[in-house]
């Protein structure tokens, strides 16, 4: 395991393609008796915007949390830039600093202002100078339209504002990949748009993004690939055009038809 | 004595003035022990509480696992022993125990030590509760950006937990201020022992204890107000200043 880390080539030939950034192999995760992920295989290329869809309890969030190592997989491997993830805390920390995460419940640091939230990672993890961290924070806060609120505490912001700050905080680390765990699920309907807009413009910058979401329209418009999860398996992995019009899996068809029906009902009102 | 007091109030006045030196000395010693014992006790409590709360993960190196496990067991015993015995007994055992093994500890140091250990045992549980009260997402947010578990604890979780347990810390200090009175059994010249001495001369114990009751009351009352003020200050401002320089014109 140790010998793998320095210099040696990954065993899989395909993994050495430069553009592949994350590869997941046979990833399984159980919580006690309950198996949440069953031998998940997929890879992420640089610049991919992958939306992960599926009903609640299908393992989407757990998959994302495993990729960030907030959960340790029971079985299987994760490769980052062709190398298997290290097991020591130091290696995990370094990896996490390059793979950011945006949470459903924002998880902004309540004891810090918006500005300090965005400087925490760059100061404490990347050890940038104060000026550099400050400038970076301001730049990213400007890009999500939250720069005027640098002095506010999280408790003083709306959900949509909090999530925009959380995205800026993630961007400040200049991550190679940004993971989104249902970023709009905890928001009031009228705030969903502002967050999705920020994410849309992010996708255009070429940032690699993995997004667990229930926003079908967003997934359709923005993603380069759509994954559909069901009972711990990936049952469909297709480009959005194919996914939404002609999916292979019956489970996806069922899911989409229910979604379209709901949409119609909403439209009738 | 020219004019012997004729009623209780005159006796109180006589004792309070004649032995003012004793009472002042007693007050100072009481305050020193409460402050020193409480502050060091908080430090002990924080360390014990954090270790108690820490989890042993499979990826930890083996020596770290063993060490953590040992500390957890030791701290568990420590907390149980000090919570389940009276402080007056602890004082006797610590003071005479240390002298027994040949270390000439003075009563005040022994008093501070006992107060510290006692406070630590109670604070450990409070700190653990304080840490538990902070949403797990705070820690995860920090970990997810690459902060070490210790860094997340120091920069994110503890500052928030600390704020939550300030009322409990204030409470502990006030309790300690009053509990120092039991240290008279090991000969610490704190307020209670001084009152005993002062009362002994004229055999006016009731009046003498009334004097220190008043002193204890005033001290606790004052500190209580001070802590409430600090708490209010720590709650922070309700509003914030918009950074106008970053406002866009079209907003």
């Amino acid at each position: 395991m140790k010998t793998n880390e320095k210099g040696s080539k990954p065993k899989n030939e395909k993994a050495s393609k430069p553009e592949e950034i994350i590869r997941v192999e046979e990833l399984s995760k159980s919580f006690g008796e309950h198996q949440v992920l069953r031998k998940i295989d997929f890879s992420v290329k640089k610049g991919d915007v992958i939306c992960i869809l599926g009903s609640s309890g299908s393992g989407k969030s757990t998959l994302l949390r495993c990729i960030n190592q907030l959960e340790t997989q029971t079985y299987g491997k994760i490769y980052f830039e062709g190398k298997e993830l290290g097991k020591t805390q130091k290696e995990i920390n370094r990896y996490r600093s390059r793979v950011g995460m945006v949470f459903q419940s924002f998880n902004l640091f309540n004891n810090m202002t918006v500005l300090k939230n965005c400087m925490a990672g760059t100061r404490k993890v990347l050890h940038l100078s104060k000026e550099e961290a400050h400038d970076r924070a301001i730049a990213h806060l400007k890009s999500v339209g939250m720069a005027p609120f640098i002095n506010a505490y999280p408790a003083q912001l709306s959900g949509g504002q909090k999530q925009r700050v959380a995205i800026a905080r993630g961007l400040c680390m200049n991550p190679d990949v940004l993971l989104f765990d249902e970023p709009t699920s905890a928001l009031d309907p009228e705030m969903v748009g502002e967050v999705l807009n920020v994410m849309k413009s992010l996708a255009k910058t070429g940032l690699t993004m993995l997004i667990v979401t229930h926003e079908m329209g967003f997934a359709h418009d923005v993603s380069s690939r759509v994954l559909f999860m069901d009972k711990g398996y990936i049952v469909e992995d297709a480009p959005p055009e194919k996914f939404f019009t002609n999916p292979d899996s019956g489970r996806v068809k069922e899911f989409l038809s229910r979604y379209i029906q709901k949409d119609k009902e909403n439209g009738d009102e | 004595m020219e004019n012997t007091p004729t009623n209780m109030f005159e006796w109180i006045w006589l004792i309070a003035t004649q032995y003012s030196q004793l009472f002042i000395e007693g007050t100072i010693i009481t305050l020193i022990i409460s402050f020193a014992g409480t502050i060091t006790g908080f430090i002990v409590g924080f360390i014990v509480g954090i270790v108690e709360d820490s989890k042993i993960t499979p990826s930890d190196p083996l020596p770290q696992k063993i060490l953590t496990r040992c500390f957890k067991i030791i701290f568990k015993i420590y907390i149980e022993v000090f919570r389940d015995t009276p402080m007056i007994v602890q004082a006797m055992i610590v003071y005479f125990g240390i002298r027994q093994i040949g270390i000439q500890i003075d009563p005040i140091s022994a008093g501070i030590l006992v107060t510290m250990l006692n406070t630590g045992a109670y604070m450990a549980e409070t700190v653990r509760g304080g840490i538990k009260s902070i949403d797990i997402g705070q820690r995860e947010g920090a970990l997810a950006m690459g902060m070490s578990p210790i860094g997340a604890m120091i920069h994110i979780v503890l500052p928030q937990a600390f704020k939550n347990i300030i009322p409990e810390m204030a409470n502990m200090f006030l309790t300690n201020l009053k509990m120092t009175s039991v240290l008279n059994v090991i000969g610490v010249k704190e307020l209670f022992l001084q009152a005993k001495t002062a009362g002994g001369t004229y055999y006016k114990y009731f009046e003498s204890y009334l004097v220190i009751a008043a002193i204890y009351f005033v001290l606790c009352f004052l500190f209580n107000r001070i802590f409430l003020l600090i708490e209010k200050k720590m709650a922070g401002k309700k509003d914030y200043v918009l950074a106008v320089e970053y406002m866009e014109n079209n907003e």
Side-chain angles (χ1 to χ4, degrees):
Chain A
M1 185 190 78
K2 273 267 153 71
T3 50
N4 248 9
E5 278 155 22
K6 273 193 185 163
S8 77
K9 276 181 189 159
K11 46 185 178 172
N12 194 322
E13 288 301 307
K14 276 183 183 170
S16 58
K17 265 195 197 167
E19 70 263 33
E20 187 176 80
I21 189 154
I22 289 179
R23 188 155 51 89
V24 172
E25 264 183 20
E26 301 201 332
L27 192 80
S28 303
K29 173 71 186 175
S30 306
F31 293 105
E33 294 283 285
H34 183 55
Q35 191 165 8
V36 185
L37 297 178
R38 298 161 197 266
K39 296 206 170 179
I40 300 278
D41 283 294
F42 80 104
S43 66
V44 183
K45 292 196 182 70
K46 218 169 177 56
D48 264 348
V49 176
I50 300 180
C51 280
I52 305 173
L53 304 179
S55 46
S56 306
S58 56
K60 307 174 302 255
S61 289
T62 308
L63 174 60
L64 222 56
R65 290 170 62 85
C66 278
I67 291 175
N68 191 276
Q69 290 289 290
L70 281 175
E71 304 286 354
T72 316
Q73 66 268 31
T74 336
Y75 184 80
K77 286 172 182 160
I78 298 171
Y79 295 88
F80 181 66
E81 293 182 330
K83 283 182 206 152
E84 191 186 340
L85 291 192
K87 293 270 188 295
T88 66
Q89 190 64 50
K90 247 198 170 134
E91 289 167 306
I92 292 174
N93 293 348
R94 203 175 317 127
Y95 162 72
R96 279 173 174 160
S97 72
R98 303 183 56 188
V99 179
M101 185 142 175
V102 173
F103 297 86
Q104 178 176 357
S105 48
F106 328 119
N107 294 355
L108 290 180
F109 306 135
N110 293 327
N111 56 328
M112 297 180 182
T113 60
V114 165
L115 183 63
K116 288 270 164 61
N117 259 285
C118 291
M119 288 171 66
T122 41
R123 292 282 292 147
K124 310 280 190 232
V125 179
L126 302 182
H127 304 292
L128 297 188
S129 72
K130 218 172 188 172
E131 293 74 33
E132 218 174 324
H134 179 271
D135 293 348
R136 219 189 250 192
I138 296 288
H140 287 298
L141 282 169
K142 268 185 182 163
S143 75
V144 299
M146 285 300 291
F149 298 91
I150 48 173
N151 300 320
Y153 281 88
Q156 297 164 327
L157 301 176
S158 75
Q161 291 176 323
K162 278 187 214 174
Q163 199 58 295
R164 277 148 63 199
V165 173
I167 292 171
R169 181 176 74 173
L171 291 173
C172 283
M173 302 292 288
N174 280 353
D176 296 295
V177 182
L178 200 50
L179 311 172
F180 293 81
D181 186 9
E182 304 203 22
T184 57
S185 298
L187 300 179
D188 288 342
E190 66 260 42
M191 290 170 185
V192 170
E194 60 185 78
V195 172
L196 291 184
N197 283 338
V198 166
M199 290 169 65
K200 264 180 202 166
S201 52
L202 265 185
K204 281 185 198 132
T205 65
L207 178 70
T208 313
M209 294 158 76
L210 248 74
I211 307 156
V212 168
T213 186
H214 292 289
E215 297 292 330
M216 298 292 175
F218 175 80
H220 180 269
D221 298 343
V222 175
S223 54
S224 55
R225 257 163 73 202
V226 179
L227 301 187
F228 185 88
M229 289 189 68
D230 187 41
K231 295 182 181 130
Y233 297 99
I234 292 181
V235 295
E236 184 90 29
D237 180 349
E241 309 82 47
K242 182 173 177 342
F243 182 91
F244 286 102
T245 54
N246 186 26
D248 292 329
S249 149
R251 181 70 187 85
V252 175
K253 281 176 192 153
E254 188 194 357
F255 182 81
L256 288 175
S257 70
R258 211 180 304 154
Y259 169 71
I260 290 161
Q261 207 171 356
K262 214 195 269 170
D263 217 32
K264 252 187 203 156
E265 280 168 20
N266 287 342
D268 289 343
E269 278 170 5
Chain B
M1 204 176 292
E2 308 94 69
N3 34 5
T4 313
T6 49
N7 61 33
M8 187 183 87
F9 297 106
E10 284 179 23
W11 273 113
I12 292 174
W13 181 248
L14 177 90
I15 287 169
T17 48
Q18 194 169 345
Y19 296 105
S20 59
Q21 204 50 45
L22 281 186
F23 290 122
I24 289 167
E25 193 192 344
T27 308
I28 289 167
I29 290 176
T30 290
L31 284 176
I32 286 173
I33 295 176
S34 330
F35 267 112
T38 311
I39 290 166
T40 51
F42 284 159
I43 296 166
V44 171
F46 266 95
I47 294 168
V48 174
I50 291 166
V51 171
E52 279 261 286
D53 186 68
S54 67
K55 282 171 200 76
I56 302 169
T57 50
S59 62
D60 290 343
L62 189 67
Q64 192 188 330
K65 274 189 207 169
I66 296 171
L67 212 65
T68 321
R69 183 109 218 118
C70 284
F71 272 118
K72 272 181 182 257
I73 294 169
I74 293 169
F75 287 163
K76 195 128 229 146
I77 295 170
Y78 157 65
I79 290 174
E80 279 301 323
V81 167
F82 273 84
R83 282 171 68 110
D84 299 350
T85 52
M87 187 163 150
I88 193 163
V89 178
Q90 292 163 15
M92 297 292 250
I93 290 174
V94 167
Y95 181 60
F96 291 113
I98 289 175
R99 299 203 133 219
Q100 197 103 317
I101 57 171
I103 299 165
Q104 293 303 310
I105 192 169
D106 61 287
I108 293 182
S109 306
I112 292 172
L113 188 63
V114 170
T115 312
M116 173 185 93
L117 291 172
N118 197 57
T119 307
Y122 280 96
M123 278 311 291
E125 295 297 290
T126 310
V127 169
R128 205 159 66 108
I131 293 172
K132 282 248 180 314
S133 74
I134 303 304
D135 177 32
I136 184 82
Q138 294 288 310
R139 185 182 134 85
E140 286 188 346
L143 292 183
M145 60 165 60
M147 233 184 248
S148 66
I150 295 168
M153 185 58 107
I154 293 172
H155 300 302
I156 309 300
V157 179
L158 275 187
Q160 297 181 49
F162 187 77
K163 207 165 139 185
N164 285 358
I165 63 181
I166 282 178
E168 193 46 47
M169 287 167 72
N171 225 350
M172 197 71 218
F173 174 77
L174 293 181
T175 307
N176 281 343
L177 192 80
K178 290 171 280 180
M179 280 303 275
T180 52
S181 58
V182 306
L183 296 173
N184 76 87
V185 295
I186 56 169
V188 179
K189 288 184 177 155
E190 42 66 53
L191 266 177
F192 185 84
L193 192 66
Q194 304 291 44
K196 217 155 136 187
T197 311
T201 325
Y202 300 111
Y203 217 69
K204 289 288 178 192
Y205 289 109
F206 173 67
E207 287 79 359
S208 182
Y209 286 129
L210 272 183
V211 173
I212 62 161
I215 296 173
Y216 279 122
F217 181 86
V218 170
L219 286 179
C220 286
F221 189 85
L222 277 178
F223 278 112
N224 214 347
R225 302 301 115 166
I226 292 169
F227 290 138
L228 283 177
L229 238 124
I230 293 173
E231 213 181 303
K232 223 172 175 180
K233 258 246 146 78
M234 292 282 290
K237 280 177 255 163
K238 282 264 184 290
D239 49 357
Y240 57 90
V241 185
L242 271 182
V244 194
E245 63 269 32
Y246 298 122
M247 291 258 253
E248 281 164 37
N249 295 330
N250 53 2
E251 266 188 68

Short mmCIF file of all heavy atoms in Angstrom, two decimals, chain B residues 226-246:
data_model
loop_
_atom_site.label_atom_id
_atom_site.label_comp_id
_atom_site.label_asym_id
_atom_site.label_seq_id
_atom_site.Cartn_x
_atom_site.Cartn_y
_atom_site.Cartn_z
N ILE B 226 -21.31 40.40 37.27
CA ILE B 226 -20.20 40.53 36.30
C ILE B 226 -20.32 39.45 35.22
O ILE B 226 -20.20 39.73 34.03
CB ILE B 226 -18.84 40.42 37.02
CG1 ILE B 226 -18.63 41.65 37.91
CG2 ILE B 226 -17.69 40.32 36.01
CD1 ILE B 226 -17.45 41.55 38.86
N PHE B 227 -20.62 38.23 35.65
CA PHE B 227 -20.72 37.13 34.67
C PHE B 227 -21.88 37.36 33.71
O PHE B 227 -21.77 37.09 32.52
CB PHE B 227 -20.88 35.79 35.38
CG PHE B 227 -19.63 35.36 36.09
CD1 PHE B 227 -19.69 34.79 37.36
CD2 PHE B 227 -18.40 35.55 35.51
CE1 PHE B 227 -18.53 34.41 38.01
CE2 PHE B 227 -17.23 35.17 36.16
CZ PHE B 227 -17.31 34.60 37.41
N LEU B 228 -23.00 37.86 34.25
CA LEU B 228 -24.14 38.12 33.38
C LEU B 228 -23.77 39.14 32.31
O LEU B 228 -24.17 39.03 31.15
CB LEU B 228 -25.33 38.63 34.20
CG LEU B 228 -26.09 37.56 34.98
CD1 LEU B 228 -27.19 38.19 35.82
CD2 LEU B 228 -26.67 36.52 34.03
N LEU B 229 -22.98 40.13 32.73
CA LEU B 229 -22.55 41.17 31.80
C LEU B 229 -21.67 40.58 30.70
O LEU B 229 -21.82 40.90 29.52
CB LEU B 229 -21.77 42.25 32.56
CG LEU B 229 -22.36 43.63 32.43
CD1 LEU B 229 -22.67 44.21 33.79
CD2 LEU B 229 -21.40 44.51 31.69
N ILE B 230 -20.73 39.73 31.14
CA ILE B 230 -19.83 39.09 30.17
C ILE B 230 -20.63 38.26 29.17
O ILE B 230 -20.41 38.32 27.95
CB ILE B 230 -18.80 38.19 30.89
CG1 ILE B 230 -17.86 39.05 31.73
CG2 ILE B 230 -18.00 37.35 29.90
CD1 ILE B 230 -16.92 38.28 32.62
N GLU B 231 -21.59 37.53 29.71
CA GLU B 231 -22.42 36.68 28.86
C GLU B 231 -23.14 37.50 27.79
O GLU B 231 -23.21 37.14 26.63
CB GLU B 231 -23.46 35.99 29.74
CG GLU B 231 -23.83 34.61 29.29
CD GLU B 231 -24.88 34.03 30.21
OE1 GLU B 231 -24.63 33.96 31.44
OE2 GLU B 231 -25.95 33.71 29.71
N LYS B 232 -23.65 38.64 28.24
CA LYS B 232 -24.37 39.53 27.33
C LYS B 232 -23.42 40.03 26.24
O LYS B 232 -23.78 40.08 25.07
CB LYS B 232 -24.92 40.72 28.13
CG LYS B 232 -26.34 41.09 27.77
CD LYS B 232 -26.82 42.13 28.73
CE LYS B 232 -28.19 42.66 28.40
NZ LYS B 232 -28.59 43.68 29.39
N LYS B 233 -22.22 40.37 26.66
CA LYS B 233 -21.20 40.86 25.72
C LYS B 233 -20.86 39.80 24.69
O LYS B 233 -20.69 40.10 23.50
CB LYS B 233 -19.93 41.23 26.50
CG LYS B 233 -19.76 42.72 26.70
CD LYS B 233 -18.62 43.35 26.02
CE LYS B 233 -18.81 44.74 25.54
NZ LYS B 233 -18.71 45.75 26.59
N MET B 234 -20.75 38.54 25.19
CA MET B 234 -20.34 37.44 24.31
C MET B 234 -21.41 37.09 23.29
O MET B 234 -21.12 36.48 22.27
CB MET B 234 -20.01 36.19 25.14
CG MET B 234 -18.79 36.29 26.00
SD MET B 234 -17.25 36.09 25.08
CE MET B 234 -17.32 34.35 24.66
N ALA B 235 -22.66 37.43 23.60
CA ALA B 235 -23.76 37.08 22.70
C ALA B 235 -23.61 37.78 21.36
O ALA B 235 -24.16 37.36 20.36
CB ALA B 235 -25.09 37.42 23.33
N GLY B 236 -22.83 38.85 21.33
CA GLY B 236 -22.54 39.53 20.07
C GLY B 236 -23.63 40.49 19.64
O GLY B 236 -24.71 40.54 20.23
N LYS B 237 -23.30 41.22 18.59
CA LYS B 237 -24.24 42.22 18.12
C LYS B 237 -25.35 41.58 17.30
O LYS B 237 -25.17 40.54 16.71
CB LYS B 237 -23.49 43.26 17.28
CG LYS B 237 -22.77 44.30 18.11
CD LYS B 237 -22.00 45.23 17.22
CE LYS B 237 -20.53 44.92 17.29
NZ LYS B 237 -19.72 45.47 16.24
N LYS B 238 -26.47 42.24 17.29
CA LYS B 238 -27.61 41.71 16.54
C LYS B 238 -27.55 42.09 15.06
O LYS B 238 -28.10 41.41 14.22
CB LYS B 238 -28.92 42.25 17.13
CG LYS B 238 -29.34 41.54 18.41
CD LYS B 238 -30.34 40.41 18.11
CE LYS B 238 -30.82 39.76 19.38
NZ LYS B 238 -29.77 38.96 20.03
N ASP B 239 -26.88 43.18 14.75
CA ASP B 239 -26.86 43.61 13.35
C ASP B 239 -25.42 43.65 12.83
O ASP B 239 -24.47 43.42 13.56
CB ASP B 239 -27.51 45.00 13.20
CG ASP B 239 -26.94 45.97 14.23
OD1 ASP B 239 -26.11 45.54 15.05
OD2 ASP B 239 -27.30 47.15 14.20
N TYR B 240 -25.28 43.89 11.55
CA TYR B 240 -23.95 43.92 10.95
C TYR B 240 -23.89 45.09 9.98
O TYR B 240 -24.91 45.60 9.53
CB TYR B 240 -23.64 42.62 10.23
CG TYR B 240 -24.64 42.25 9.17
CD1 TYR B 240 -24.47 42.67 7.86
CD2 TYR B 240 -25.77 41.48 9.50
CE1 TYR B 240 -25.40 42.34 6.90
CE2 TYR B 240 -26.70 41.15 8.52
CZ TYR B 240 -26.51 41.57 7.23
OH TYR B 240 -27.43 41.25 6.28
N VAL B 241 -22.67 45.49 9.64
CA VAL B 241 -22.49 46.61 8.73
C VAL B 241 -22.28 46.08 7.33
O VAL B 241 -21.42 45.23 7.10
CB VAL B 241 -21.27 47.45 9.16
CG1 VAL B 241 -21.16 48.69 8.29
CG2 VAL B 241 -21.36 47.80 10.63
N LEU B 242 -23.09 46.55 6.41
CA LEU B 242 -22.91 46.16 5.01
C LEU B 242 -21.62 46.77 4.49
O LEU B 242 -21.32 47.94 4.76
CB LEU B 242 -24.07 46.67 4.16
CG LEU B 242 -25.30 45.77 4.02
CD1 LEU B 242 -26.31 46.43 3.12
CD2 LEU B 242 -24.90 44.41 3.47
N ALA B 243 -20.84 45.96 3.79
CA ALA B 243 -19.62 46.49 3.19
C ALA B 243 -19.99 47.20 1.90
O ALA B 243 -20.05 46.61 0.84
CB ALA B 243 -18.64 45.36 2.94
N VAL B 244 -20.25 48.51 2.03
CA VAL B 244 -20.79 49.28 0.90
C VAL B 244 -19.81 49.28 -0.26
O VAL B 244 -20.21 49.32 -1.43
CB VAL B 244 -21.08 50.73 1.34
CG1 VAL B 244 -21.95 51.42 0.31
CG2 VAL B 244 -21.77 50.73 2.69
N GLU B 245 -18.50 49.22 0.08
CA GLU B 245 -17.51 49.30 -1.00
C GLU B 245 -17.62 48.14 -1.99
O GLU B 245 -17.15 48.22 -3.11
CB GLU B 245 -16.09 49.38 -0.42
CG GLU B 245 -15.64 48.16 0.39
CD GLU B 245 -15.97 48.27 1.87
OE1 GLU B 245 -17.01 48.89 2.22
OE2 GLU B 245 -15.21 47.72 2.69
N TYR B 246 -18.27 47.04 -1.55
CA TYR B 246 -18.41 45.90 -2.45
C TYR B 246 -19.80 45.81 -3.07
O TYR B 246 -20.14 44.82 -3.70
CB TYR B 246 -18.10 44.60 -1.71
CG TYR B 246 -16.69 44.55 -1.22
CD1 TYR B 246 -16.41 44.37 0.13
CD2 TYR B 246 -15.64 44.71 -2.10
CE1 TYR B 246 -15.10 44.33 0.59
CE2 TYR B 246 -14.33 44.67 -1.66
CZ TYR B 246 -14.06 44.49 -0.32
OH TYR B 246 -12.78 44.47 0.13
#
